[in-house]
Each structure stands twice: as structure tokens, then as C-alpha cells.
Amino acid sequence: MKQGILTINAGSSSIKFALFPLANPISPDAEVSGQIDGIGTNATKMVAKNTAGERIADQLIPGEAVSHDVAFDALLKWFTASQADWEIVAVGHRVVHGGDLYSQPTIVDATVLGHLTSFIPLAPLHEPHNVAGIRALQTLMPRVPQVACFDTAFHRSQPNVAQAFGLPRALTAEGIKRYGFHGLSYEFIARALPEHSTRANGRVVVAHLGNGASMAAMVKRKCVATTLGFSTIDGLMMGTRCGNLDPGVVLHLMETKGLSVKDMTRLLYKESGLLGVSGISQDMRTLLASNKAEAQEAVDLFCYRIVRELGSLVAAAGGLDALVFTGGIGEHAAEVRRRVCQQVECFGIRLDVEANDRHDLHIGTADSSVDVLVIPTNEEWMMAHHAQMLLTL
């Protein structure tokens, strides 16, 4: 029987999963990968494909308001039936928040699970589903090690000054600080970059651009600054999240509009960003294809915020040797990359327009003093790698 590592990324309404054959090193290509969407509704659907990209599952999960537990149970029943020659030896889970306690992937036991539960107030929209995924898999696969891989861990190398807010010390002691997220993506890019650039150990800024978006500055492939802070709504404007916002705006809206904390949470996380500014869509593809002024204003603001944050990160890193685009928008939206690069030519960036349109790996010209690259991220492989490393300790 073949042995593999299952990876799980549990969100509020979806579960992404992948299976990687146990190997050293693990192949970057998953044997099976897929997603369950529509959790919490009566239209919950699972889709999966094999390593050749062929669809091997496309089915509804029956039930009203299908829960995460039911979705996980359906996933494992399908997996057991369709992939009977595979034995899962470990499960790697994406966990958004590791607090101050965890800077490395960790095998989950009762103590660790208690800590993760205590972090829920730090990431209330993400952590509960991460914890629920771990609990569900522990119940369904009690003898299989569950490994927590933290999105905050990569950013623990930031200097203390980069993590601090100008708030009373007592609040900092309670964990109010800049944590940073998307760490699994940045960690993958940091590992992959030496294969593609001789400047990998220099001053690098990575732009992880997708429905959730952030940027990070690295020196010697260690994080020195990042745009996301205490929560996942800081920094860049995103699909439905506002990004950097004067806290006075929050106070003003709560005072003048009578908005509650729940109202503000919905506004800032679900109704803002590309969707809120355009009034059309949170999907960058839709906005780029639209000729409406509101759509272009949303794209312009998205790119402008990237340029502003890039300047800040270059200052924190002490210069710029390489700029990397990754994530769904970063990897596929040539127009976004073009707009950004043409606005930062002052840093020595020169864009090869044709290479950019082809989505080449290297999209800078020969005379660009900064390497400009497009590198697909692979958070699932990162989780599988970490799980295997812990199994061999």
C-alpha cells in the first residue's frame, strides 16, 4: 500500500485538500487535490483532480446546512473508496494563528489544541475553522498524527520594532502586536527563490496577491517586515477586505452610523476591498474586463496600495534586489504586474512587457537592476513537507 500525507486548509465555507506521496523530497505535484465548497448550505460540493489534472470527483454532499464535520466525513469516505491503495500517515493543517507560542510546525496534542483554541479571539474568522478541521480529523483518524502549520510562524523573524504598535505596554503584553500572515506562501517562495535568482539572499519583496493579499520584505530569506499586522484586514486592499484604514474611520462610523462590532466586522471583512470600491465584483478578472469607471478605480486603488506598501518594505529592507509576484492575481494578472512595475521604475525595475504578457518566470528586462519574477506558490506542498519532517524526527 502506498503511503501519503494529506493536507487540509479549512476555511469558513470551504475545505481545500491535497494528497502527496511520502518521499524525500516530497514531489511538488499532489497525487490528488481538490476543494469542498458551500459548507453551511444545502449545495455543498466536492471537486477533485488527479496529478494529470483530470477530474476524478464532482459530487454534491447531501444534507441541509452541511457542517465541517459532515464535509470531512464525506471527504474521507470518498477517499477510502476511490483511493483504496493509499494509507494516510499524517495530516498537515494550515493554521492561521500561532500566537507567540509557535514559530515552527507542531504535532497537535491536547495541550497544543488547547493553545490553538485560546488563539481564536486573535483570528475569529479563520482560527475556529482551522481548529474544527483538526478536531474532525482527530476523531475520524485517531491514530494519524495531525500537524499544525502556522501562517504566522514565518514572520516571527521580524525585529521587535517591526511587530510593535504605539499602544500601552500592557496591551502588547496581552498579545496585541503585528503578527503577519500568508507565512506558508512566503516560506515556499523563500525556499524556491535560490533556484531562480542569484539575488535570493539579498533584499527581496514578495507580493502575495489574491482574494487575500499581502506583501513581505525578506533579507537572507528571513522576514523583516510585512503588510498584514494583528488581523487579516491590514495592509493591502483585498477582494472584500479594506486593507490599511485610519482607526478614526472605525470610531466615526460606530459613532455616527450606530454600527456594532458585528456590523463593522461585516463591513471591513466582507463588504469592502475590490467589491466595495467597484460595486461590481471582488474578482480581479471581472474588473479588468469591465469598461466601467468604478471597476477601473478599484483596480487603480489595488495597484496604488501595492506601490505604496512596496516603498515602505524597500525602506525596511534597506533596498531592493528582487521583486516576486505570487498568488492567484500575482501569478495570472499581467495587467496588475504591469501597472505596479511601471510605477516603481525609480527602484531600478524595468519590465519586459512581452515576457510579462506570457507570464514568464522572469519578467524583468536584461538591464533591470532588480530581478522581477513570477513564482507560483505551493502552500499545500509546504504543509506536506513540514509533516514529513516531523514524522522523521
Side-chain angles (χ1 to χ4, degrees), residues 137-161:
L137 268 296
Q138 282 181 329
T139 299
L140 294 168
M141 309 171 70
R143 295 182 178 85
V144 176
Q146 311 290 317
V147 177
C149 303
F150 300 99
D151 248 356
T152 51
F154 183 74
H155 304 294
R156 297 281 59 78
S157 60
Q158 292 181 95
N160 289 336
V161 69

mmCIF file of all heavy atoms in Angstrom, residues 137-161:
data_model
loop_
_atom_site.group_PDB
_atom_site.id
_atom_site.type_symbol
_atom_site.label_atom_id
_atom_site.label_comp_id
_atom_site.label_asym_id
_atom_site.label_seq_id
_atom_site.Cartn_x
_atom_site.Cartn_y
_atom_site.Cartn_z
ATOM 1 N N LEU A 137 -10.585 15.636 12.088
ATOM 2 C CA LEU A 137 -9.655 14.609 11.613
ATOM 3 C C LEU A 137 -9.132 13.752 12.747
ATOM 4 O O LEU A 137 -8.861 12.560 12.566
ATOM 5 C CB LEU A 137 -8.512 15.260 10.841
ATOM 6 C CG LEU A 137 -8.691 15.410 9.318
ATOM 7 C CD1 LEU A 137 -8.781 14.049 8.638
ATOM 8 C CD2 LEU A 137 -9.915 16.237 8.996
ATOM 9 N N GLN A 138 -8.971 14.345 13.945
ATOM 10 C CA GLN A 138 -8.574 13.540 15.109
ATOM 11 C C GLN A 138 -9.630 12.481 15.406
ATOM 12 O O GLN A 138 -9.298 11.338 15.766
ATOM 13 C CB GLN A 138 -8.376 14.432 16.331
ATOM 14 C CG GLN A 138 -7.070 15.193 16.356
ATOM 15 C CD GLN A 138 -6.921 16.040 17.611
ATOM 16 O OE1 GLN A 138 -7.904 16.528 18.161
ATOM 17 N NE2 GLN A 138 -5.697 16.219 18.064
ATOM 18 N N THR A 139 -10.901 12.845 15.269
ATOM 19 C CA THR A 139 -11.989 11.912 15.533
ATOM 20 C C THR A 139 -12.061 10.834 14.459
ATOM 21 O O THR A 139 -12.224 9.638 14.751
ATOM 22 C CB THR A 139 -13.332 12.663 15.603
ATOM 23 O OG1 THR A 139 -13.273 13.616 16.672
ATOM 24 C CG2 THR A 139 -14.486 11.702 15.838
ATOM 25 N N LEU A 140 -11.924 11.255 13.201
ATOM 26 C CA LEU A 140 -12.046 10.324 12.088
ATOM 27 C C LEU A 140 -10.803 9.465 11.896
ATOM 28 O O LEU A 140 -10.896 8.334 11.399
ATOM 29 C CB LEU A 140 -12.341 11.101 10.802
ATOM 30 C CG LEU A 140 -13.690 11.829 10.752
ATOM 31 C CD1 LEU A 140 -13.730 12.789 9.569
ATOM 32 C CD2 LEU A 140 -14.835 10.833 10.670
ATOM 33 N N MET A 141 -9.625 9.991 12.290
ATOM 34 C CA MET A 141 -8.352 9.277 12.100
ATOM 35 C C MET A 141 -7.539 9.380 13.393
ATOM 36 O O MET A 141 -6.504 10.033 13.440
ATOM 37 C CB MET A 141 -7.582 9.896 10.929
ATOM 38 C CG MET A 141 -8.397 10.033 9.659
ATOM 39 S SD MET A 141 -7.554 10.987 8.376
ATOM 40 C CE MET A 141 -6.249 9.864 7.922
ATOM 41 N N PRO A 142 -8.000 8.722 14.466
ATOM 42 C CA PRO A 142 -7.395 8.937 15.790
ATOM 43 C C PRO A 142 -5.936 8.510 15.908
ATOM 44 O O PRO A 142 -5.223 8.994 16.798
ATOM 45 C CB PRO A 142 -8.298 8.106 16.717
ATOM 46 C CG PRO A 142 -8.959 7.098 15.820
ATOM 47 C CD PRO A 142 -9.124 7.777 14.512
ATOM 48 N N ARG A 143 -5.458 7.639 15.053
ATOM 49 C CA ARG A 143 -4.082 7.149 15.161
ATOM 50 C C ARG A 143 -3.111 7.881 14.235
ATOM 51 O O ARG A 143 -1.913 7.605 14.243
ATOM 52 C CB ARG A 143 -4.031 5.650 14.863
ATOM 53 C CG ARG A 143 -4.778 4.799 15.874
ATOM 54 C CD ARG A 143 -4.644 3.311 15.549
ATOM 55 N NE ARG A 143 -5.322 2.506 16.538
ATOM 56 C CZ ARG A 143 -6.619 2.214 16.513
ATOM 57 N NH1 ARG A 143 -7.371 2.680 15.504
ATOM 58 N NH2 ARG A 143 -7.164 1.463 17.443
ATOM 59 N N VAL A 144 -3.632 8.805 13.445
ATOM 60 C CA VAL A 144 -2.797 9.512 12.472
ATOM 61 C C VAL A 144 -2.361 10.854 13.048
ATOM 62 O O VAL A 144 -3.191 11.627 13.517
ATOM 63 C CB VAL A 144 -3.575 9.736 11.161
ATOM 64 C CG1 VAL A 144 -2.745 10.552 10.171
ATOM 65 C CG2 VAL A 144 -3.967 8.392 10.551
ATOM 66 N N PRO A 145 -1.053 11.143 13.039
ATOM 67 C CA PRO A 145 -0.582 12.433 13.577
ATOM 68 C C PRO A 145 -1.162 13.616 12.803
ATOM 69 O O PRO A 145 -1.210 13.605 11.572
ATOM 70 C CB PRO A 145 0.939 12.362 13.398
ATOM 71 C CG PRO A 145 1.252 10.912 13.247
ATOM 72 C CD PRO A 145 0.063 10.302 12.585
ATOM 73 N N GLN A 146 -1.610 14.633 13.543
ATOM 74 C CA GLN A 146 -2.097 15.883 12.958
ATOM 75 C C GLN A 146 -1.042 16.957 13.205
ATOM 76 O O GLN A 146 -0.601 17.152 14.340
ATOM 77 C CB GLN A 146 -3.419 16.302 13.617
ATOM 78 C CG GLN A 146 -4.465 15.201 13.693
ATOM 79 C CD GLN A 146 -5.038 14.834 12.346
ATOM 80 O OE1 GLN A 146 -5.342 15.692 11.524
ATOM 81 N NE2 GLN A 146 -5.188 13.528 12.098
ATOM 82 N N VAL A 147 -0.621 17.637 12.151
ATOM 83 C CA VAL A 147 0.455 18.619 12.247
ATOM 84 C C VAL A 147 -0.095 20.010 11.942
ATOM 85 O O VAL A 147 -0.698 20.229 10.887
ATOM 86 C CB VAL A 147 1.602 18.283 11.265
ATOM 87 C CG1 VAL A 147 2.681 19.357 11.317
ATOM 88 C CG2 VAL A 147 2.183 16.912 11.588
ATOM 89 N N ALA A 148 0.099 20.929 12.874
ATOM 90 C CA ALA A 148 -0.332 22.317 12.680
ATOM 91 C C ALA A 148 0.803 23.108 12.041
ATOM 92 O O ALA A 148 1.926 23.142 12.559
ATOM 93 C CB ALA A 148 -0.718 22.943 14.016
ATOM 94 N N CYS A 149 0.513 23.752 10.903
ATOM 95 C CA CYS A 149 1.490 24.573 10.186
ATOM 96 C C CYS A 149 0.969 26.011 10.202
ATOM 97 O O CYS A 149 -0.106 26.289 9.668
ATOM 98 C CB CYS A 149 1.647 24.082 8.749
ATOM 99 S SG CYS A 149 2.126 22.344 8.607
ATOM 100 N N PHE A 150 1.732 26.915 10.800
ATOM 101 C CA PHE A 150 1.213 28.231 11.154
ATOM 102 C C PHE A 150 1.546 29.298 10.115
ATOM 103 O O PHE A 150 2.703 29.434 9.693
ATOM 104 C CB PHE A 150 1.763 28.650 12.513
ATOM 105 C CG PHE A 150 1.398 27.698 13.618
ATOM 106 C CD1 PHE A 150 2.309 26.734 14.046
ATOM 107 C CD2 PHE A 150 0.146 27.741 14.194
ATOM 108 C CE1 PHE A 150 1.969 25.840 15.041
ATOM 109 C CE2 PHE A 150 -0.200 26.852 15.191
ATOM 110 C CZ PHE A 150 0.711 25.889 15.626
ATOM 111 N N ASP A 151 0.523 30.090 9.756
ATOM 112 C CA ASP A 151 0.714 31.186 8.808
ATOM 113 C C ASP A 151 1.492 32.343 9.425
ATOM 114 O O ASP A 151 2.036 33.182 8.705
ATOM 115 C CB ASP A 151 -0.648 31.692 8.321
ATOM 116 C CG ASP A 151 -0.879 31.390 6.845
ATOM 117 O OD1 ASP A 151 0.042 30.859 6.202
ATOM 118 O OD2 ASP A 151 -1.966 31.684 6.350
ATOM 119 N N THR A 152 1.515 32.423 10.739
ATOM 120 C CA THR A 152 2.239 33.498 11.417
ATOM 121 C C THR A 152 3.713 33.163 11.649
ATOM 122 O O THR A 152 4.506 34.066 11.927
ATOM 123 C CB THR A 152 1.590 33.802 12.775
ATOM 124 O OG1 THR A 152 1.427 32.568 13.500
ATOM 125 C CG2 THR A 152 0.227 34.463 12.608
ATOM 126 N N ALA A 153 4.081 31.888 11.562
ATOM 127 C CA ALA A 153 5.407 31.457 12.007
ATOM 128 C C ALA A 153 6.541 32.123 11.235
ATOM 129 O O ALA A 153 7.545 32.537 11.826
ATOM 130 C CB ALA A 153 5.517 29.935 11.894
ATOM 131 N N PHE A 154 6.395 32.233 9.911
ATOM 132 C CA PHE A 154 7.479 32.782 9.095
ATOM 133 C C PHE A 154 7.843 34.202 9.507
ATOM 134 O O PHE A 154 8.995 34.620 9.363
ATOM 135 C CB PHE A 154 7.068 32.755 7.621
ATOM 136 C CG PHE A 154 8.130 33.231 6.663
ATOM 137 C CD1 PHE A 154 9.222 32.438 6.379
ATOM 138 C CD2 PHE A 154 8.033 34.480 6.066
ATOM 139 C CE1 PHE A 154 10.217 32.871 5.496
ATOM 140 C CE2 PHE A 154 9.008 34.924 5.189
ATOM 141 C CZ PHE A 154 10.105 34.115 4.904
ATOM 142 N N HIS A 155 6.899 34.936 10.044
ATOM 143 C CA HIS A 155 7.108 36.352 10.361
ATOM 144 C C HIS A 155 7.689 36.585 11.757
ATOM 145 O O HIS A 155 7.935 37.737 12.131
ATOM 146 C CB HIS A 155 5.793 37.112 10.216
ATOM 147 C CG HIS A 155 5.167 36.968 8.862
ATOM 148 N ND1 HIS A 155 5.752 37.478 7.721
ATOM 149 C CD2 HIS A 155 4.025 36.351 8.458
ATOM 150 C CE1 HIS A 155 4.993 37.184 6.674
ATOM 151 N NE2 HIS A 155 3.947 36.510 7.102
ATOM 152 N N ARG A 156 7.924 35.512 12.492
ATOM 153 C CA ARG A 156 8.485 35.687 13.834
ATOM 154 C C ARG A 156 9.928 36.181 13.798
ATOM 155 O O ARG A 156 10.474 36.601 14.805
ATOM 156 C CB ARG A 156 8.412 34.390 14.636
ATOM 157 C CG ARG A 156 7.010 33.881 14.896
ATOM 158 C CD ARG A 156 6.275 34.591 16.042
ATOM 159 N NE ARG A 156 6.111 36.018 15.872
ATOM 160 C CZ ARG A 156 5.203 36.584 15.084
ATOM 161 N NH1 ARG A 156 4.407 35.834 14.355
ATOM 162 N NH2 ARG A 156 5.106 37.887 14.985
ATOM 163 N N SER A 157 10.549 36.146 12.619
ATOM 164 C CA SER A 157 11.924 36.650 12.491
ATOM 165 C C SER A 157 11.969 38.172 12.388
ATOM 166 O O SER A 157 13.063 38.757 12.405
ATOM 167 C CB SER A 157 12.593 36.037 11.253
ATOM 168 O OG SER A 157 11.880 36.368 10.069
ATOM 169 N N GLN A 158 10.822 38.827 12.287
ATOM 170 C CA GLN A 158 10.810 40.286 12.237
ATOM 171 C C GLN A 158 11.426 40.865 13.517
ATOM 172 O O GLN A 158 11.196 40.336 14.607
ATOM 173 C CB GLN A 158 9.381 40.822 12.123
ATOM 174 C CG GLN A 158 8.670 40.534 10.826
ATOM 175 C CD GLN A 158 7.276 41.151 10.832
ATOM 176 O OE1 GLN A 158 7.086 42.253 10.348
ATOM 177 N NE2 GLN A 158 6.316 40.438 11.404
ATOM 178 N N PRO A 159 12.172 41.957 13.406
ATOM 179 C CA PRO A 159 12.651 42.608 14.630
ATOM 180 C C PRO A 159 11.472 43.086 15.466
ATOM 181 O O PRO A 159 10.379 43.347 14.941
ATOM 182 C CB PRO A 159 13.493 43.772 14.104
ATOM 183 C CG PRO A 159 13.032 43.996 12.704
ATOM 184 C CD PRO A 159 12.589 42.662 12.182
ATOM 185 N N ASN A 160 11.703 43.223 16.761
ATOM 186 C CA ASN A 160 10.621 43.615 17.666
ATOM 187 C C ASN A 160 9.968 44.925 17.246
ATOM 188 O O ASN A 160 8.751 45.096 17.363
ATOM 189 C CB ASN A 160 11.145 43.723 19.097
ATOM 190 C CG ASN A 160 11.476 42.364 19.695
ATOM 191 O OD1 ASN A 160 10.936 41.341 19.272
ATOM 192 N ND2 ASN A 160 12.366 42.345 20.668
ATOM 193 N N VAL A 161 10.783 45.854 16.749
ATOM 194 C CA VAL A 161 10.226 47.153 16.382
ATOM 195 C C VAL A 161 9.231 47.035 15.236
ATOM 196 O O VAL A 161 8.280 47.821 15.134
ATOM 197 C CB VAL A 161 11.359 48.154 16.036
ATOM 198 C CG1 VAL A 161 12.064 47.757 14.724
ATOM 199 C CG2 VAL A 161 10.839 49.576 15.957
#
